[in-house]
Amino acid sequence: MKAKLFISLALGLTHAAVAAAKLNVVATFPDFGVIAQAVGGDNIKITTLARGTEDPHFVDARPSFIRVLNQADVLLEGGAELEVGWLPPLLTGARNAKILIDGPGRVVMSRGIRLLGLPTGPIDRSMGDVHPAGNPHYWLDPANGKIMAGQLAEVFSRLDAANADAYRANLKKFSDRLDQKIADWTKALEPYRGVKVVTYHKSYEYFAERFGLSVVGQIEPKPGIEPSPTHITALIPRMKLEGVKLLLIEPNRPRRTPDYVAKATGARLLLLPDKVGAHEKVTDYIGLFDYDVAQIVAALKESK
Amino acid sequence: MKLKYLLTLVTCLTALPLAAQVNAEVDLLKQQLQTVKDAFEKAQAESRRQIEELTKRLDAVAQQQSATTNEQQKWRDWMNSPVTPGRTPPPGERTWSAADPIRLAGGGAASYLNISFAALVAAGGSTAKNIEALQLGGHDPKQRGFTVQNLELTLDGKVDPYFRGQANIILQIDSAGETVIEAEEAFLETVSLPWNLQVKAGQFFTEFGRLNSMHPHTWDFVDQPLINGRFLGGDGLRNPGVRLSWLVPTPFYSELFLAVQNSQGETATSFRNDHEGEPFLGRLHDSGSVKAFNDMLFAPRYVASFNLSDAQTLMVGASAAFGPNGSGPRADTQIYGLDFFWKWKPAHQHGGFPFVTWQTELMMRRYQAGAFTEDLDGDGTLGATDADLNGDGLLNSVPREMLTDYGVYSQIAYGFQKGWVAGLRADFVTRSRRAAYEAVYGNDPDRDQRWRISPNLTWYPSEFSKVRLQYNYDRRSHIGADHSIWLQFEFLLGAHAAHKF
């Protein structure tokens, strides 16, 4: 009886040890989490902090995040000042050396990615929330997904060398699939190359660059500044003149002004998920683009 | 024959001008041709120039593209290279070194010292005769007209691999027009101690309740709640000391704090404070000196947080502060507090809006006041060396007694659309019973019952500025009702420190 108890206890402990051996990965946003899941597979455990429906610049530093970060082996952050408004105090509270700025588990996802919208002249706050490091919405170019996955495979292999082969295989699988899908998406949007769009915030610059949409303006007069009547009355005739077909907004944006602009210009208003989880149907990285591309194609077909 | 001559002559005569006319036309045509030729050559030269320019641009683009392709190729090579430990870093990475220029508000990766400045200014007035007595907070607007509430310079950054440092230097212009400097906070904090511990040391706000450790520019109202003013002091409870915190390994967030700080001075108003020689709670106070370890201020706190749903977060805390006070020997003060903070922010938020927060704090103070006699020199007669606190010409004395006071404030803030927040706060503070000293000196406005209702509306043009209008309805027992209205402005420069929850 005692032996049995001992064995089950030992088994329980080994089980716990195996479970603990899984890399505990915390992602600030679901997009980083789903890519990490694709690369890490069963060898990692993912926890995501912010939700896909949230304005990424204004996430609450919920105290529960401190607890999660305290336990993390790896932290995936967007970088480029994406989380500057809420992550720093959480990290001080988390007191976890692994994920400090030079910690082995600190991963800045923008690493190696060419950021758009790098300010070329002097900037100050009268220009709104201009990001000195460049536009941080870079995950909306699927090609950047490959760069992110590449870095994750490297980090996971370094921290968990025993499973390096699995990470490499997963990376290849993910990259190949993404290559195939990028070709499909590009083909689907090929007939609409150069189509003019207006967005709410500069969130879709990377998506537009990848698929040849031409972003001609924003509902916001300046990044992070609420639309003003002056800006909107100037935007409407410009959109008509340019023949803007689509008005793209993130699902979390208020609808009143975009609805008004769409009605006044005849542009089609599209709620386009900008992150995984921004729409219930968008649950993984490839699904994000599947959904967005299908939405745009359907809208443009209709407007023809 | 004659006719023939005549005809020839006529013909010749007519032909002469004709020939001249033809010549003129030819000249004109030649001229026109030349013009056309010139224009054509000019156009050709222009298009040649344009073509050259375009070719040049195309070359540049091609070069750029090939550069991009090269970069992409490098990436592809890197990505296809075997994923092994010690693999080379990805191409195109530039590491920064400490030799790079110091950037104060790090636009790039470098961040040595973040500087920010917050200015808080109020304008308004009140029906109260003595506004200084009405507004308990050290940074509250306190006069008719303008008040510079708080000019706050914040410096923060990583000290070294072990510590983070922060300093908040406050400038204030008092009602006499004098500029006052306060070293409000200056502390260092460990970043990664083992066993989930963290140490803070220096001058800092005691983590008591929710509002005490928050800086005025982050408050939802123009002024400080009454319980904070009465029990923790107008400038908040803060002093030099050391604080240990432990992140408790519970499945939810919870943290245990213990601070040991100096117990003297006006920033520990309920403790060893001499109240600048003015009577306080019917007694003259002497801040005395530290004779034993338990003459320090001890402040334990426990806080826990729960996610009630995707959109709702609850944070509850219990705090206490223990230390001697200046009313006599063996006279101690105990302050107990409970705090509660609830926030609703839907999953679909835009710029942090909409939201609703509900914040409530309860506090109780038990003040062991020592016996006091106006006969300071002990000669039994009222002389120059005695203190006639109420000016009645008699030698009054009050016994040792326990003074128990308590109060509560509760506030709701509703961010109904981006940049707009409506708030409502209710304050209540009272004594448990009339004290013996109050029988001698009359009701003490520092203990008497009082309540206040404050609605307000705030507009944030951006996260870096705000305009707030607040009305206070105040009712003080034995004094009466007062109305105040305050308009508050704020601006922030520099690195905007991220908000704690």
Side-chain angles (χ1 to χ4, degrees):
Chain A
M1 190 63 206
K2 260 187 183 166
K4 228 180 188 177
L5 248 176
F6 181 75
I7 287 169
S8 57
L9 191 72
L11 275 176
L13 282 176
T14 13
H15 184 76
V18 168
K22 268 194 181 190
L23 275 182
N24 190 354
V25 180
V26 176
T28 54
F29 287 97
D31 301 74
F32 310 143
V34 291
I35 295 173
Q37 194 68 73
V39 175
D42 291 336
N43 297 315
I44 64 164
K45 179 180 161 278
I46 283 278
T47 314
T48 299
L49 301 181
R51 292 152 290 179
T53 48
E54 291 193 84
D55 188 332
H57 309 302
F58 294 91
V59 175
D60 269 343
R62 296 175 109 180
S64 58
F65 297 170
I66 294 178
R67 192 75 197 112
V68 171
L69 289 168
N70 176 254
Q71 298 290 302
D73 294 314
V74 182
L75 167 64
L76 314 180
E77 64 159 330
E81 296 198 337
L82 187 65
E83 299 96 346
V84 72
W86 55 281
L87 194 58
L90 292 174
L91 287 171
T92 308
R95 53 202 84 173
N96 179 351
K98 286 183 206 164
I99 55 166
L100 291 181
I101 194 160
D102 55 351
R106 181 72 169 265
V107 182
V108 179
M109 299 297 281
S110 64
R111 194 162 157 235
I113 288 173
R114 185 175 57 95
L115 294 184
L116 299 177
L118 272 170
T120 48
I123 52 167
D124 66 28
R125 286 216 178 110
S126 66
M127 297 154 75
D129 295 337
V130 176
H131 292 278
N135 186 323
H137 303 270
Y138 55 81
W139 59 87
L140 278 168
D141 177 350
N144 289 342
K146 286 169 57 184
I147 299 177
M148 289 190 266
Q151 194 195 174
L152 288 176
E154 186 214 13
V155 171
F156 294 163
S157 305
R158 178 160 47 77
L159 296 175
D160 177 22
N163 290 310
D165 286 343
Y167 298 133
R168 191 168 54 219
N170 288 344
L171 169 64
K172 185 166 176 358
K173 207 173 126 197
F174 179 75
S175 294
D176 289 351
R177 172 133 175 79
L178 206 49
D179 276 334
Q180 176 56 44
K181 291 303 282 190
I182 291 172
D184 293 350
W185 297 323
T186 309
K187 203 175 148 202
L189 286 170
E190 190 54 49
Y192 311 106
R193 193 154 272 277
V195 91
K196 286 177 177 167
V197 302
V198 161
T199 62
Y200 195 99
H201 180 70
K202 286 188 177 174
S203 302
Y204 302 101
E205 307 295 295
Y206 293 88
F207 185 92
E209 201 204 38
R210 170 59 48 192
F211 297 114
L213 306 180
S214 164
V215 182
V216 300
Q218 277 79 32
I219 297 280
E220 290 179 335
K222 290 169 180 183
I225 302 295
E226 283 296 88
S228 63
T230 332
H231 175 69
I232 295 302
T233 47
L235 181 68
I236 288 170
R238 200 154 62 80
M239 283 174 70
K240 281 185 185 161
L241 192 75
E242 300 244 23
V244 171
K245 288 262 193 300
L246 291 178
L247 177 52
L248 308 178
I249 70 169
E250 303 94 320
N252 61 299
R253 296 295 180 192
R255 295 280 299 277
R256 212 163 59 106
T257 310
D259 271 334
Y260 173 77
V261 171
K263 204 173 270 177
T265 60
R268 176 78 189 272
L269 176 68
L270 262 192
L271 267 64
L272 200 67
D274 59 320
K275 288 190 269 358
V276 170
H279 185 277
E280 55 188 5
K281 284 186 184 153
V282 177
T283 54
D284 69 2
Y285 192 65
I286 284 168
L288 173 66
F289 297 98
D290 272 341
Y291 185 86
D292 284 358
V293 170
Q295 287 266 303
I296 290 172
V297 168
L300 288 173
K301 252 186 200 157
E302 224 171 86
S303 74
K304 260 192 174 174
Chain B
M1 193 62 196
K2 257 184 187 173
L3 195 74
K4 231 181 185 176
Y5 278 122
L6 194 77
L7 265 173
T8 323
L9 195 71
V10 168
T11 321
C12 282
L13 280 176
T14 30
L16 261 175
L18 211 96
Q21 207 179 338
V22 166
N23 276 342
E25 264 175 33
V26 166
D27 281 348
L28 190 72
L29 280 171
K30 268 186 189 164
Q31 219 172 353
Q32 279 174 346
L33 190 68
Q34 190 58 43
T35 322
V36 169
K37 206 172 140 191
D38 284 352
F40 177 70
E41 268 168 13
K42 208 170 152 195
Q44 219 176 8
E46 176 66 14
S47 52
R48 245 203 316 274
R49 195 187 58 75
Q50 277 178 346
I51 287 168
E52 270 165 23
E53 200 179 316
L54 280 172
T55 318
K56 248 187 247 169
R57 276 200 215 167
L58 270 173
D59 283 348
V61 168
Q63 222 163 12
Q64 213 176 344
Q65 262 177 350
S66 78
T68 322
T69 324
N70 283 344
E71 215 173 290
Q72 282 171 345
Q73 189 54 47
K74 270 189 210 158
W75 261 105
R76 222 164 280 144
D77 292 347
W78 180 78
M79 276 175 51
N80 292 333
S81 70
V83 180
T84 49
R87 184 187 188 197
T88 54
E93 287 283 299
R94 182 195 173 280
T95 48
W96 54 273
S97 79
D100 283 350
I102 291 173
R103 266 174 247 160
L104 296 176
S111 167
Y112 288 88
L113 172 65
N114 297 317
I115 296 184
S116 67
F117 178 80
L120 211 51
V121 179
S126 170
T127 58
K129 282 198 188 76
N130 181 354
I131 306 179
E132 297 242 7
L134 179 81
Q135 296 290 87
L136 302 183
H139 295 279
D140 291 355
K142 286 187 168 179
Q143 56 190 355
R144 289 184 192 92
F146 297 90
T147 305
V148 176
Q149 294 182 269
N150 202 23
L151 304 177
E152 179 175 333
L153 181 69
T154 306
L155 311 171
D156 79 278
K158 295 281 161 56
V159 176
D160 56 24
Y162 316 105
F163 302 109
R164 188 186 86 82
Q166 183 179 324
N168 298 71
I169 312 297
I170 309 290
L171 295 167
Q172 201 184 351
I173 301 175
D174 69 14
S175 45
E178 205 68 47
T179 299
V180 185
I181 298 183
E182 284 174 12
E184 192 166 59
E185 290 200 280
F187 61 83
L188 52 78
E189 212 173 7
T190 60
V191 288
S192 56
L193 275 192
W195 307 303
N196 287 343
L197 296 175
Q198 187 190 59
V199 172
K200 189 191 243 188
Q203 158 84 353
F204 56 89
F205 276 117
T206 312
E207 275 124 344
F208 186 106
R210 187 168 167 82
L211 195 101
N212 187 62
S213 55
M214 288 166 68
H215 291 264
H217 79 90
T218 62
W219 295 352
D220 290 334
F221 289 80
V222 168
D223 39 22
Q224 199 187 36
L226 298 177
I227 49 170
N228 288 72
R230 260 193 201 181
F231 306 145
L232 305 180
D235 278 318
L237 183 59
R238 60 183 159 87
N239 256 341
V242 59
R243 181 274 270 157
L244 182 71
S245 104
W246 179 42
L247 191 61
V248 189
T250 43
F252 51 90
Y253 162 82
S254 77
E255 195 169 351
L256 201 56
F257 300 87
L258 178 66
V260 181
Q261 288 170 285
N262 282 351
S263 55
Q264 77 269 34
E266 61 171 343
T267 52
T269 199
S270 293
F271 300 92
R272 287 168 47 226
N273 185 7
D274 64 5
H275 300 275
E276 292 169 337
E278 295 291 316
F280 178 67
L281 303 177
R283 289 145 176 94
L284 290 180
H285 282 62
D286 177 5
S287 58
S289 60
V290 175
K291 295 182 192 77
F293 185 55
N294 62 8
D295 286 339
M296 305 297 287
L297 173 75
F298 295 89
R301 170 169 169 80
Y302 178 72
V303 62
S305 173
F306 308 92
N307 292 342
L308 302 181
S309 73
D310 251 10
Q312 293 178 63
T313 314
L314 177 70
M315 204 168 173
V316 288
S319 317
F322 308 109
N325 67 51
S327 67
R330 290 174 295 105
D332 292 326
T333 304
Q334 299 141 25
I335 308 175
Y336 301 95
L338 289 174
D339 57 283
F340 166 96
F341 179 72
W342 171 86
K343 182 165 186 175
W344 168 82
K345 186 155 131 185
H348 280 77
Q349 52 98 351
H350 156 67
F353 289 82
F355 68 84
V356 178
T357 60
W358 179 27
Q359 177 173 329
T360 301
E361 290 193 59
L362 289 113
M363 281 185 214
M364 181 175 80
R365 179 181 66 190
R366 287 165 57 79
Y367 196 96
Q368 178 66 64
F372 175 74
T373 172
E374 292 181 356
D375 186 11
L376 297 182
D377 52 13
D379 63 357
T381 54
L382 187 63
T385 48
D386 296 318
D388 188 8
L389 297 188
N390 54 352
D392 61 357
L394 301 169
L395 274 178
N396 299 303
S397 49
V398 293
R400 182 178 170 88
E401 59 184 329
M402 176 64 82
L403 307 171
T404 305
D405 291 78
Y406 55 90
V408 61
Y409 78 86
S410 186
Q411 66 186 44
I412 289 176
Y414 173 34
F416 53 95
Q417 103 175 44
K418 192 178 171 186
W420 288 90
V421 182
L424 181 66
R425 181 185 64 191
D427 272 290
F428 175 76
V429 64
T430 191
R431 59 190 178 191
S432 71
R433 59 184 175 78
R434 193 172 140 103
Y437 81 86
E438 289 177 289
V440 177
Y441 298 117
N443 290 306
D444 186 350
D446 286 340
R447 292 194 70 215
D448 215 349
Q449 197 175 94
R450 174 177 180 185
W451 58 271
R452 182 171 72 182
I453 298 283
S454 317
N456 77 7
L457 181 69
T458 311
W459 176 49
Y460 294 86
S462 75
E463 308 114 82
F464 305 99
S465 58
K466 76 171 175 233
V467 183
R468 168 174 294 157
L469 183 65
Q470 181 174 320
Y471 163 74
N472 286 351
Y473 175 80
D474 238 298
R475 184 168 273 283
R476 288 178 288 175
S477 293
H478 305 101
I479 294 177
D482 280 301
H483 310 269
S484 316
I485 193 145
W486 305 109
L487 185 66
Q488 186 186 41
F489 305 91
E490 181 200 70
F491 69 84
L492 279 170
L493 289 174
H496 181 207
H499 287 297
K500 284 189 175 180
F501 188 75

